[in-house]
Amino acid sequence: MTENPRASHIDEQHGIQSLEEALAANGDSEAVVDVEEPTQQLVLFRIGGQRFALPGSAVNEILPSDQPVYFVPGLPASTEGVLHLRGKIESVISLHQLLSLPAPEGKPRGMILLVNAAGIRSGVRIEQLDDVCDVAESVLQSPPETLSSTLSPYVSALWQMDEDQALALLDTEALFSAYQQGLG
């Protein structure tokens, strides 16, 4: 019987063996167990200096900040205007009022997320795109009871990115339903 050169001696007095020694003696220590954890794609962005995310499944396209948006008189304050995209007219909404965030000063800048929810498709103006990433569903937590009453109807989960930063995952269905009802 040949001894495995990777295994060191067992502490014979106590019968203790390290995990590495046990793996070396009983199998392939290089084997990796791949566990599939459900993930969700998120589009991370900022509005009013706060961090938010939308589910990637709701975002069809990210349009550049130079995409022309045309003002249309008589639209609600939450509608920035409309844009012409590949032969279709799409509205562009601002979430500032709905989320009770300060409106940006001057001409709106930033990218536009083209979002499908609540039976409509519309652009959502964001101030800064941070990332598009896949996140394990297990890191998404239920929103706390202490979340402000203006945000709580629209936040489906929180992601505590680190000790100092949390990000709110917005519920696109709730946002667009509220928009359709004229709440924003």
Side-chain angles (χ1 to χ4, degrees):
M1 179 170 140
T2 60
E3 187 175 324
N4 185 336
R6 294 189 307 187
S8 61
H9 295 294
I10 298 174
D11 180 349
E12 292 181 20
Q13 182 180 3
H14 297 100
I16 300 173
Q17 189 175 24
S18 74
L19 177 61
E20 185 177 292
E21 292 167 339
L23 286 172
N26 298 311
D28 184 6
S29 65
E30 302 301 317
V32 175
V33 177
D34 188 18
V35 178
E36 279 294 318
E37 183 172 2
T39 61
Q40 182 172 359
Q41 185 180 54
L42 300 180
V43 178
L44 313 179
F45 59 93
R46 294 173 199 247
I47 297 177
Q50 293 190 33
R51 299 185 74 154
F52 294 100
L54 287 175
S57 59
V59 178
N60 293 94
E61 198 168 344
I62 301 171
L63 304 174
S65 58
D66 62 354
Q67 176 72 39
V69 176
Y70 304 98
F71 176 75
V72 177
L75 291 177
S78 60
T79 306
E80 180 183 324
V82 296
L83 58 86
H84 184 258
L85 185 64
R86 292 184 287 284
K88 293 189 178 195
I89 303 295
E90 308 288 352
S91 62
V92 177
I93 63 174
S94 169
L95 298 177
H96 291 87
Q97 282 188 304
L98 195 59
L99 301 176
S100 295
L101 298 172
E105 294 181 17
K107 182 181 176 195
R109 291 178 296 205
M111 296 177 155
I112 299 171
L113 305 177
L114 198 57
V115 178
N116 275 331
I120 63 171
R121 183 167 104 159
S122 183
V124 173
R125 175 74 71 178
I126 61 172
E127 293 166 8
Q128 178 182 328
L129 178 67
D130 289 338
D131 200 359
V132 176
C133 62
D134 289 329
V135 174
E137 288 182 3
S138 62
V139 301
L140 299 175
Q141 304 166 358
S142 297
E145 303 261 336
T146 57
L147 194 63
S148 74
S149 61
T150 55
L151 278 179
S152 62
Y154 310 114
V155 175
S156 61
L158 285 183
W159 175 24
Q160 189 71 40
M161 299 173 73
D162 58 38
E163 287 180 17
D164 301 326
Q165 294 185 34
L167 178 138
L169 175 60
L170 297 174
D171 181 340
T172 53
E173 295 292 320
L175 283 170
F176 277 31
S177 292
Y179 171 72
Q180 285 178 317
Q181 295 170 19
L183 298 179

